[in-house]
Amino acid sequence: MTTAAAPARPGTDAPPEPRRGLRVRLVTALVIVVALAGAGGLAFHRVFAVGDLVPVVTVSAVTPVLLVALLSWPRRRIWPLWISILATAGAWTLVAGLTLFHGDFAVVGGALRDSWKGTLTSLLPAPGRPELLVLPHALVWLAAFGGAELAVRTKTKAAPALPSVAVFCAALLLGVNGPGSNLPVVAVLVGLTGALTIVRSGGRPLWLLAGLPAAAAIGLLGAAVGPYLPMRGEAYDPRATVKAPPPQQRDSISPLDRVSAWLQTPDQQMFTVRADAPEDWRLAVLDRFDGVTWTSDARFVPAGSRIPDDPRVHRTRVVQRFTVQDLPGVWVPAADRPRTVQGLAVATDPGSGVLTAGQPLRSGQAYTVTSMVPDYDAGLLAVAQPARDAEAQAATGLTESPGTTAKTAEVPAFRRLALEVTKDQETAFQRAAKLADYLRSTARYDVTGLSGHTYADLRYFLGTSKRGTSEQFATAYAVLARSIGLPTRIVVGFRPGVGGNGTWQVRSGDVLVWPEVDFADIGWVPFFPTPEETDASKKSNSVPAGETQQKLEAAQKSAAAHKKGGGSGTHAAPAPRAPARPPHKKPSTPPWVYGLAAVPVLPAGYLAGVLVLPVLRRRRRRGGPTPAARITGAWEQTREALGAVGLPAATALTAHEIAGFGAERVPGAEAHLRPLADLVNRSRYAATPSGPDTAEAAWRHTDELGRLVRRTAGLRRRLARRLHPRSLRLR
């Protein structure tokens, strides 16, 4: 039995396309829909890590298209749309529950409802957790299902690509300020849309294949030129309008309150580090002080493997491998500043880079951190000014102790002491360094000293005992510095530890608290006011910190020795000067970039013109001020359409002669051309004017003639005529 063939188009000699050809084109279109949905989903690479995203996108792009193909095969038995919608909804719940939530179907709906907010309140790239990945899974599934249904149920050439473009736009919005670029994704979407249009055009228009290299060339050109274009303004970031959930309780006990207890049992094994270089391992940053206790104002948000950087300081890469032994709490030690974390799900404070785990750390747990350790310039530090932004202003405040008048009674005393110590210093950095030097030289490190860091404790430490641990030295420094306008915070962490050859054992006795001062255009700079232990039997024997920190300490000691108007002694070295900075110049854009940018812009503008102006021209003709003008517009529209079958643009033929010409070239057109010609002649020469009904009848004939001409002329001739420069005229 032979396969039934589709009927030939009237007025053409082309043989009818067999049903097998229709099926091949449909299958090809569905394959392209899968690729389009996958490309749209891969635009989420700025939101999630590619390794987490690819399996989700693959499953959600392929499965719904297969389902639509099964429900609509063969074409003459397409299921009702509502059945297809119910089937794909059930299939998505089943597939998402099995692949993402391991059979826990009860949480699928709630995870999808909350996924958008969880994504917007996570650092980019977001963690690859099922409750977040369910969002791209659902969006790509909808794009694949919508594209497949449009391919099966409609004849519009590029319509099946629209759902994937919508997914791309959603990913573009969610990935603002994320890593990477979506220019390659745009190029792929353009190429696949062109291929889909070719496949769904019918027949074998091989000449249209030239459009694929052109689309690819435009995409590649955009990818090459895009980074050089002078863009102004910042992209809208929806994260700025979404309120993050309240910070979770990080730990019931502050690390600062553990310092004294850790120092009483100094041999407790906390963790082991394998690293490129010894560093001070930061644990927590505390920036709020109410006169009684230091707390954190950090806003911890979930993070994937990547932590945002602070670009103000030149940094050196250091890789660390931590193995936890007996470290309590959820604070995660790492060198400043972490950039990537592998092997442990963490939340981070974008401002300080401090890491916390969702659950208390357990013995044997291991993770890897890549940090960018700051490398400060001594010359720039010497002339640095205190930061004055909102964060720095908050870090200079000294509040009253609850229920007391500590601010009026004690803070002025701290300020008088700080002013007396720093009276000979000229710059903010010199004053900060002098405070650290003062504490190192006037007080003694003693683990048996009284613990605590309230205003009363610090007054006793500074004025009476002059003995304490790094807890008292760091907190006293922070209060003194704040009293003279230096923004400060304190950091709880550990010295590098004991060991060598790339491996260090960190014990509880290595705990260290140090202050940091915020300088404009530089960031937070650590200071070390705690003196070394003098009792050899109690020394921690921790190895010195890295070379960068040693240079920083040397610069601080040099700045502390400087005195206004001279030096600290007869042969004191002058204060270091900042190197002369070259004037800041905005990167200029080479002229050839503008030329290259115009290459795709001009064809795009021409294409927009030949697509939009004919529509405006038809609308103007149909909306003429009088019925006679509308009838004349219908006739002009008909003459323009007959140009596709050979009617010259400028001709002296009468209306009925043109009607005869069209009747010969366009099968079935005579039934509309003759009545339309009569209406045109009557509107021009009759004594009585034409009415609105006559104008509507003329346009009905014109619309039918347009459909007949399009069927007769074929796609190639119509497209060539549409792209002709004469299409750019408005009248």
Short mmCIF file of all heavy atoms in Angstrom, two decimals, residues 583-640:
data_model
loop_
_atom_site.label_atom_id
_atom_site.label_comp_id
_atom_site.label_asym_id
_atom_site.label_seq_id
_atom_site.Cartn_x
_atom_site.Cartn_y
_atom_site.Cartn_z
N PRO A 583 47.21 59.38 37.25
CA PRO A 583 45.81 59.83 37.18
C PRO A 583 44.93 58.74 36.62
O PRO A 583 45.31 58.04 35.68
CB PRO A 583 45.88 61.05 36.25
CG PRO A 583 47.15 60.88 35.47
CD PRO A 583 48.10 60.18 36.40
N HIS A 584 43.76 58.60 37.24
CA HIS A 584 42.83 57.55 36.83
C HIS A 584 42.25 57.87 35.46
O HIS A 584 41.73 58.96 35.22
CB HIS A 584 41.71 57.42 37.84
CG HIS A 584 40.70 56.38 37.47
ND1 HIS A 584 40.98 55.04 37.48
CD2 HIS A 584 39.41 56.50 37.05
CE1 HIS A 584 39.92 54.37 37.12
NE2 HIS A 584 38.95 55.23 36.84
N LYS A 585 42.38 56.96 34.55
CA LYS A 585 41.84 57.13 33.21
C LYS A 585 40.84 56.02 32.94
O LYS A 585 41.09 54.85 33.23
CB LYS A 585 42.96 57.06 32.16
CG LYS A 585 43.96 58.19 32.26
CD LYS A 585 44.99 58.06 31.15
CE LYS A 585 46.01 59.19 31.20
NZ LYS A 585 47.02 59.06 30.13
N LYS A 586 39.73 56.45 32.42
CA LYS A 586 38.73 55.46 32.03
C LYS A 586 39.22 54.72 30.80
O LYS A 586 39.80 55.31 29.89
CB LYS A 586 37.39 56.14 31.73
CG LYS A 586 36.76 56.77 32.95
CD LYS A 586 35.39 57.34 32.60
CE LYS A 586 34.73 57.93 33.84
NZ LYS A 586 33.39 58.49 33.53
N PRO A 587 39.06 53.42 30.76
CA PRO A 587 39.51 52.66 29.60
C PRO A 587 38.79 53.15 28.34
O PRO A 587 37.56 53.21 28.30
CB PRO A 587 39.12 51.22 29.95
CG PRO A 587 38.08 51.34 31.00
CD PRO A 587 38.37 52.59 31.75
N SER A 588 39.60 53.58 27.37
CA SER A 588 39.02 54.07 26.12
C SER A 588 38.64 52.91 25.22
O SER A 588 39.30 51.88 25.19
CB SER A 588 40.02 54.98 25.41
OG SER A 588 41.22 54.27 25.14
N THR A 589 37.58 53.11 24.48
CA THR A 589 37.10 52.09 23.56
C THR A 589 37.71 52.32 22.20
O THR A 589 37.58 53.42 21.64
CB THR A 589 35.57 52.13 23.47
OG1 THR A 589 35.02 51.98 24.78
CG2 THR A 589 35.05 51.00 22.59
N PRO A 590 38.41 51.34 21.62
CA PRO A 590 39.00 51.54 20.29
C PRO A 590 37.93 51.86 19.26
O PRO A 590 36.82 51.33 19.31
CB PRO A 590 39.67 50.18 20.01
CG PRO A 590 39.80 49.53 21.34
CD PRO A 590 38.66 50.03 22.17
N PRO A 591 38.24 52.74 18.28
CA PRO A 591 37.24 53.09 17.26
C PRO A 591 36.75 51.89 16.47
O PRO A 591 35.60 51.86 16.04
CB PRO A 591 37.99 54.10 16.37
CG PRO A 591 39.08 54.64 17.25
CD PRO A 591 39.48 53.51 18.14
N TRP A 592 37.64 50.90 16.26
CA TRP A 592 37.22 49.77 15.44
C TRP A 592 36.10 48.97 16.11
O TRP A 592 35.34 48.27 15.44
CB TRP A 592 38.41 48.84 15.17
CG TRP A 592 39.05 48.25 16.39
CD1 TRP A 592 40.11 48.75 17.08
CD2 TRP A 592 38.66 47.06 17.08
NE1 TRP A 592 40.41 47.95 18.15
CE2 TRP A 592 39.54 46.89 18.17
CE3 TRP A 592 37.67 46.11 16.87
CZ2 TRP A 592 39.44 45.83 19.05
CZ3 TRP A 592 37.57 45.04 17.75
CH2 TRP A 592 38.45 44.91 18.82
N VAL A 593 35.99 49.10 17.47
CA VAL A 593 34.92 48.39 18.15
C VAL A 593 33.56 48.92 17.71
O VAL A 593 32.61 48.17 17.48
CB VAL A 593 35.09 48.51 19.67
CG1 VAL A 593 33.88 47.95 20.40
CG2 VAL A 593 36.35 47.79 20.11
N TYR A 594 33.47 50.27 17.57
CA TYR A 594 32.20 50.85 17.13
C TYR A 594 31.88 50.40 15.70
O TYR A 594 30.71 50.17 15.36
CB TYR A 594 32.26 52.37 17.21
CG TYR A 594 32.40 52.89 18.61
CD1 TYR A 594 33.64 53.28 19.11
CD2 TYR A 594 31.30 53.00 19.45
CE1 TYR A 594 33.79 53.76 20.40
CE2 TYR A 594 31.43 53.49 20.75
CZ TYR A 594 32.68 53.86 21.21
OH TYR A 594 32.82 54.32 22.49
N GLY A 595 32.92 50.31 14.87
CA GLY A 595 32.67 49.83 13.51
C GLY A 595 32.16 48.40 13.48
O GLY A 595 31.23 48.07 12.75
N LEU A 596 32.80 47.53 14.30
CA LEU A 596 32.33 46.15 14.35
C LEU A 596 30.93 46.06 14.94
O LEU A 596 30.11 45.24 14.52
CB LEU A 596 33.30 45.31 15.18
CG LEU A 596 34.64 44.95 14.53
CD1 LEU A 596 35.50 44.15 15.49
CD2 LEU A 596 34.42 44.17 13.24
N ALA A 597 30.65 46.92 15.93
CA ALA A 597 29.32 46.88 16.53
C ALA A 597 28.25 47.29 15.53
O ALA A 597 27.11 46.82 15.59
CB ALA A 597 29.28 47.80 17.75
N ALA A 598 28.61 48.18 14.57
CA ALA A 598 27.63 48.60 13.58
C ALA A 598 27.32 47.52 12.56
O ALA A 598 26.27 47.57 11.91
CB ALA A 598 28.13 49.86 12.86
N VAL A 599 28.22 46.54 12.41
CA VAL A 599 28.00 45.49 11.41
C VAL A 599 26.72 44.72 11.68
O VAL A 599 25.88 44.56 10.79
CB VAL A 599 29.23 44.56 11.33
CG1 VAL A 599 28.94 43.38 10.43
CG2 VAL A 599 30.44 45.33 10.84
N PRO A 600 26.48 44.21 12.90
CA PRO A 600 25.20 43.54 13.13
C PRO A 600 24.03 44.51 13.36
O PRO A 600 22.89 44.15 13.16
CB PRO A 600 25.45 42.70 14.38
CG PRO A 600 26.51 43.43 15.12
CD PRO A 600 27.37 44.06 14.07
N VAL A 601 24.35 45.77 13.77
CA VAL A 601 23.26 46.71 14.07
C VAL A 601 22.56 47.15 12.79
O VAL A 601 21.32 47.22 12.73
CB VAL A 601 23.81 47.92 14.84
CG1 VAL A 601 22.76 49.02 14.95
CG2 VAL A 601 24.27 47.49 16.22
N LEU A 602 23.32 47.45 11.73
CA LEU A 602 22.70 47.92 10.49
C LEU A 602 21.78 46.87 9.86
O LEU A 602 20.64 47.19 9.51
CB LEU A 602 23.80 48.36 9.51
CG LEU A 602 24.59 49.61 9.95
CD1 LEU A 602 25.68 49.92 8.94
CD2 LEU A 602 23.65 50.80 10.09
N PRO A 603 22.23 45.61 9.69
CA PRO A 603 21.28 44.62 9.16
C PRO A 603 20.07 44.41 10.06
O PRO A 603 18.96 44.22 9.57
CB PRO A 603 22.12 43.34 9.08
CG PRO A 603 23.52 43.80 9.04
CD PRO A 603 23.57 45.05 9.85
N ALA A 604 20.29 44.47 11.39
CA ALA A 604 19.15 44.30 12.29
C ALA A 604 18.16 45.45 12.13
O ALA A 604 16.94 45.24 12.13
CB ALA A 604 19.65 44.21 13.74
N GLY A 605 18.67 46.69 11.99
CA GLY A 605 17.78 47.82 11.78
C GLY A 605 17.03 47.72 10.46
O GLY A 605 15.84 48.03 10.37
N TYR A 606 17.74 47.29 9.39
CA TYR A 606 17.08 47.11 8.09
C TYR A 606 16.00 46.04 8.18
O TYR A 606 14.88 46.22 7.67
CB TYR A 606 18.12 46.73 7.04
CG TYR A 606 17.56 46.57 5.65
CD1 TYR A 606 17.41 47.68 4.82
CD2 TYR A 606 17.16 45.33 5.17
CE1 TYR A 606 16.89 47.55 3.55
CE2 TYR A 606 16.64 45.19 3.89
CZ TYR A 606 16.51 46.31 3.09
OH TYR A 606 15.97 46.17 1.83
N LEU A 607 16.31 44.93 8.86
CA LEU A 607 15.33 43.85 8.99
C LEU A 607 14.12 44.32 9.77
O LEU A 607 12.97 44.01 9.42
CB LEU A 607 15.99 42.65 9.69
CG LEU A 607 15.12 41.40 9.85
CD1 LEU A 607 14.71 40.86 8.49
CD2 LEU A 607 15.88 40.33 10.63
N ALA A 608 14.34 45.10 10.84
CA ALA A 608 13.21 45.62 11.60
C ALA A 608 12.36 46.54 10.74
O ALA A 608 11.12 46.54 10.81
CB ALA A 608 13.71 46.36 12.83
N GLY A 609 13.02 47.34 9.86
CA GLY A 609 12.27 48.25 9.01
C GLY A 609 11.39 47.53 8.01
O GLY A 609 10.21 47.86 7.84
N VAL A 610 11.94 46.51 7.32
CA VAL A 610 11.15 45.81 6.31
C VAL A 610 10.07 44.94 6.92
O VAL A 610 9.14 44.52 6.23
CB VAL A 610 12.07 44.96 5.40
CG1 VAL A 610 13.08 45.83 4.68
CG2 VAL A 610 12.79 43.88 6.22
N LEU A 611 10.17 44.66 8.22
CA LEU A 611 9.12 43.90 8.89
C LEU A 611 8.03 44.79 9.46
O LEU A 611 6.85 44.44 9.44
CB LEU A 611 9.72 43.04 10.00
CG LEU A 611 10.62 41.88 9.58
CD1 LEU A 611 11.20 41.19 10.80
CD2 LEU A 611 9.87 40.88 8.71
N VAL A 612 8.41 45.97 9.94
CA VAL A 612 7.45 46.83 10.64
C VAL A 612 6.74 47.78 9.69
O VAL A 612 5.52 47.97 9.79
CB VAL A 612 8.18 47.61 11.76
CG1 VAL A 612 7.24 48.63 12.40
CG2 VAL A 612 8.70 46.65 12.81
N LEU A 613 7.47 48.40 8.74
CA LEU A 613 6.86 49.42 7.89
C LEU A 613 5.70 48.90 7.05
O LEU A 613 4.69 49.61 6.90
CB LEU A 613 7.94 50.06 7.01
CG LEU A 613 8.93 50.96 7.77
CD1 LEU A 613 9.96 51.56 6.82
CD2 LEU A 613 8.19 52.07 8.49
N PRO A 614 5.77 47.70 6.44
CA PRO A 614 4.58 47.22 5.72
C PRO A 614 3.35 47.09 6.61
O PRO A 614 2.23 47.32 6.16
CB PRO A 614 5.03 45.86 5.18
CG PRO A 614 6.51 45.97 5.06
CD PRO A 614 6.92 46.81 6.21
N VAL A 615 3.55 46.71 7.85
CA VAL A 615 2.41 46.62 8.77
C VAL A 615 1.82 48.00 9.02
O VAL A 615 0.59 48.19 9.02
CB VAL A 615 2.84 45.95 10.08
CG1 VAL A 615 1.69 45.93 11.08
CG2 VAL A 615 3.34 44.53 9.83
N LEU A 616 2.68 48.99 9.25
CA LEU A 616 2.19 50.36 9.46
C LEU A 616 1.51 50.90 8.20
O LEU A 616 0.50 51.63 8.29
CB LEU A 616 3.35 51.26 9.86
CG LEU A 616 4.07 50.91 11.17
CD1 LEU A 616 5.25 51.86 11.40
CD2 LEU A 616 3.11 50.96 12.34
N ARG A 617 2.07 50.55 7.03
CA ARG A 617 1.49 51.03 5.77
C ARG A 617 0.09 50.45 5.57
O ARG A 617 -0.83 51.17 5.19
CB ARG A 617 2.41 50.62 4.62
CG ARG A 617 2.05 51.22 3.29
CD ARG A 617 3.20 51.12 2.30
NE ARG A 617 3.61 49.76 2.07
CZ ARG A 617 4.83 49.28 2.32
NH1 ARG A 617 5.75 50.07 2.86
NH2 ARG A 617 5.14 48.03 2.05
N ARG A 618 -0.08 49.18 5.85
CA ARG A 618 -1.40 48.55 5.72
C ARG A 618 -2.39 49.17 6.71
O ARG A 618 -3.55 49.42 6.38
CB ARG A 618 -1.27 47.04 5.95
CG ARG A 618 -2.60 46.31 5.92
CD ARG A 618 -2.41 44.85 6.29
NE ARG A 618 -3.68 44.17 6.36
CZ ARG A 618 -4.29 43.58 5.34
NH1 ARG A 618 -3.71 43.60 4.13
NH2 ARG A 618 -5.46 42.98 5.48
N ARG A 619 -1.93 49.42 7.95
CA ARG A 619 -2.82 50.00 8.95
C ARG A 619 -3.25 51.41 8.54
O ARG A 619 -4.41 51.81 8.74
CB ARG A 619 -2.11 50.03 10.30
CG ARG A 619 -2.94 50.58 11.44
CD ARG A 619 -2.18 50.51 12.75
NE ARG A 619 -1.85 49.13 13.10
CZ ARG A 619 -1.13 48.78 14.16
NH1 ARG A 619 -0.65 49.73 14.96
NH2 ARG A 619 -0.88 47.50 14.40
N ARG A 620 -2.32 52.20 7.95
CA ARG A 620 -2.68 53.54 7.51
C ARG A 620 -3.71 53.49 6.39
O ARG A 620 -4.66 54.29 6.36
CB ARG A 620 -1.41 54.27 7.05
CG ARG A 620 -1.66 55.72 6.63
CD ARG A 620 -0.44 56.29 5.94
NE ARG A 620 -0.09 55.52 4.74
CZ ARG A 620 -0.72 55.66 3.57
NH1 ARG A 620 -1.72 56.50 3.44
NH2 ARG A 620 -0.35 54.94 2.53
N ARG A 621 -3.52 52.57 5.44
CA ARG A 621 -4.46 52.47 4.33
C ARG A 621 -5.85 52.04 4.80
O ARG A 621 -6.86 52.56 4.33
CB ARG A 621 -3.93 51.46 3.31
CG ARG A 621 -2.71 51.94 2.54
CD ARG A 621 -2.08 50.81 1.76
NE ARG A 621 -0.96 51.28 0.93
CZ ARG A 621 -0.11 50.47 0.28
NH1 ARG A 621 -0.26 49.15 0.38
NH2 ARG A 621 0.85 50.98 -0.45
N ARG A 622 -5.89 51.10 5.73
CA ARG A 622 -7.19 50.60 6.17
C ARG A 622 -7.90 51.60 7.07
O ARG A 622 -9.13 51.55 7.20
CB ARG A 622 -7.02 49.26 6.90
CG ARG A 622 -8.32 48.55 7.13
CD ARG A 622 -8.11 47.08 7.34
NE ARG A 622 -9.37 46.34 7.27
CZ ARG A 622 -9.46 45.01 7.15
NH1 ARG A 622 -8.36 44.29 7.07
NH2 ARG A 622 -10.63 44.42 7.10
N GLY A 623 -7.19 52.49 7.70
CA GLY A 623 -7.81 53.46 8.59
C GLY A 623 -7.93 54.83 7.97
O GLY A 623 -7.79 55.84 8.67
N GLY A 624 -8.17 54.92 6.65
CA GLY A 624 -8.29 56.21 5.98
C GLY A 624 -9.41 57.05 6.54
O GLY A 624 -10.36 56.54 7.16
N PRO A 625 -9.36 58.37 6.31
CA PRO A 625 -10.36 59.26 6.92
C PRO A 625 -11.76 59.11 6.33
O PRO A 625 -12.75 59.43 7.00
CB PRO A 625 -9.78 60.65 6.66
CG PRO A 625 -8.89 60.47 5.47
CD PRO A 625 -8.33 59.10 5.55
N THR A 626 -11.88 58.68 5.05
CA THR A 626 -13.19 58.54 4.40
C THR A 626 -13.31 57.15 3.81
O THR A 626 -12.31 56.47 3.57
CB THR A 626 -13.35 59.59 3.30
OG1 THR A 626 -12.36 59.34 2.28
CG2 THR A 626 -13.18 61.01 3.85
N PRO A 627 -14.56 56.68 3.56
CA PRO A 627 -14.71 55.37 2.89
C PRO A 627 -13.99 55.31 1.55
O PRO A 627 -13.41 54.28 1.21
CB PRO A 627 -16.23 55.25 2.74
CG PRO A 627 -16.80 56.07 3.85
CD PRO A 627 -15.86 57.23 3.99
N ALA A 628 -14.02 56.41 0.76
CA ALA A 628 -13.33 56.41 -0.53
C ALA A 628 -11.83 56.22 -0.34
O ALA A 628 -11.18 55.49 -1.10
CB ALA A 628 -13.61 57.72 -1.27
N ALA A 629 -11.24 56.87 0.70
CA ALA A 629 -9.81 56.70 0.95
C ALA A 629 -9.51 55.28 1.37
O ALA A 629 -8.46 54.72 0.99
CB ALA A 629 -9.37 57.69 2.04
N ARG A 630 -10.40 54.64 2.13
CA ARG A 630 -10.16 53.26 2.54
C ARG A 630 -10.27 52.31 1.35
O ARG A 630 -9.53 51.32 1.27
CB ARG A 630 -11.14 52.87 3.64
CG ARG A 630 -10.90 53.63 4.94
CD ARG A 630 -11.58 52.98 6.13
NE ARG A 630 -13.02 53.13 6.09
CZ ARG A 630 -13.68 54.17 6.57
NH1 ARG A 630 -13.00 55.18 7.11
NH2 ARG A 630 -15.00 54.22 6.52
N ILE A 631 -11.20 52.59 0.40
CA ILE A 631 -11.30 51.76 -0.81
C ILE A 631 -10.04 51.91 -1.65
O ILE A 631 -9.48 50.93 -2.17
CB ILE A 631 -12.56 52.14 -1.61
CG1 ILE A 631 -13.81 51.76 -0.81
CG2 ILE A 631 -12.57 51.44 -2.97
CD1 ILE A 631 -15.10 52.25 -1.44
N THR A 632 -9.56 53.15 -1.79
CA THR A 632 -8.31 53.37 -2.53
C THR A 632 -7.15 52.66 -1.84
O THR A 632 -6.28 52.07 -2.51
CB THR A 632 -8.02 54.88 -2.62
OG1 THR A 632 -9.12 55.53 -3.27
CG2 THR A 632 -6.75 55.15 -3.39
N GLY A 633 -7.11 52.67 -0.51
CA GLY A 633 -6.06 51.95 0.21
C GLY A 633 -6.14 50.45 -0.03
O GLY A 633 -5.10 49.78 -0.16
N ALA A 634 -7.35 49.89 -0.08
CA ALA A 634 -7.50 48.46 -0.37
C ALA A 634 -6.96 48.13 -1.76
O ALA A 634 -6.31 47.09 -1.96
CB ALA A 634 -8.96 48.06 -0.25
N TRP A 635 -7.22 49.03 -2.73
CA TRP A 635 -6.72 48.77 -4.09
C TRP A 635 -5.19 48.87 -4.13
O TRP A 635 -4.53 48.07 -4.80
CB TRP A 635 -7.36 49.78 -5.06
CG TRP A 635 -6.96 49.56 -6.49
CD1 TRP A 635 -6.27 50.40 -7.29
CD2 TRP A 635 -7.25 48.41 -7.29
NE1 TRP A 635 -6.08 49.87 -8.53
CE2 TRP A 635 -6.69 48.62 -8.56
CE3 TRP A 635 -7.93 47.22 -7.04
CZ2 TRP A 635 -6.78 47.71 -9.60
CZ3 TRP A 635 -8.03 46.30 -8.08
CH2 TRP A 635 -7.46 46.53 -9.34
N GLU A 636 -4.60 49.86 -3.42
CA GLU A 636 -3.13 49.95 -3.36
C GLU A 636 -2.53 48.71 -2.71
O GLU A 636 -1.48 48.21 -3.14
CB GLU A 636 -2.74 51.21 -2.59
CG GLU A 636 -3.08 52.51 -3.29
CD GLU A 636 -2.79 53.71 -2.42
OE1 GLU A 636 -2.46 53.50 -1.23
OE2 GLU A 636 -2.88 54.85 -2.91
N GLN A 637 -3.19 48.21 -1.67
CA GLN A 637 -2.69 47.00 -1.02
C GLN A 637 -2.74 45.81 -1.96
O GLN A 637 -1.84 44.98 -1.98
CB GLN A 637 -3.52 46.72 0.25
CG GLN A 637 -2.96 45.64 1.16
CD GLN A 637 -1.72 46.09 1.91
OE1 GLN A 637 -1.50 47.27 2.10
NE2 GLN A 637 -0.89 45.13 2.31
N THR A 638 -3.81 45.73 -2.79
CA THR A 638 -3.94 44.63 -3.75
C THR A 638 -2.88 44.73 -4.83
O THR A 638 -2.26 43.72 -5.20
CB THR A 638 -5.35 44.66 -4.36
OG1 THR A 638 -6.31 44.48 -3.32
CG2 THR A 638 -5.51 43.56 -5.40
N ARG A 639 -2.66 45.92 -5.39
CA ARG A 639 -1.62 46.08 -6.41
C ARG A 639 -0.25 45.71 -5.85
O ARG A 639 0.56 45.10 -6.54
CB ARG A 639 -1.62 47.52 -6.91
CG ARG A 639 -2.84 47.90 -7.74
CD ARG A 639 -2.73 49.31 -8.25
NE ARG A 639 -1.49 49.50 -9.02
CZ ARG A 639 -1.13 50.66 -9.59
NH1 ARG A 639 -1.91 51.72 -9.46
NH2 ARG A 639 -0.01 50.77 -10.26
N GLU A 640 0.01 46.10 -4.60
CA GLU A 640 1.29 45.74 -3.98
C GLU A 640 1.43 44.23 -3.83
O GLU A 640 2.50 43.66 -4.06
CB GLU A 640 1.39 46.42 -2.62
CG GLU A 640 2.73 46.21 -1.92
CD GLU A 640 2.80 46.96 -0.60
OE1 GLU A 640 2.71 48.20 -0.62
OE2 GLU A 640 2.93 46.29 0.45
#
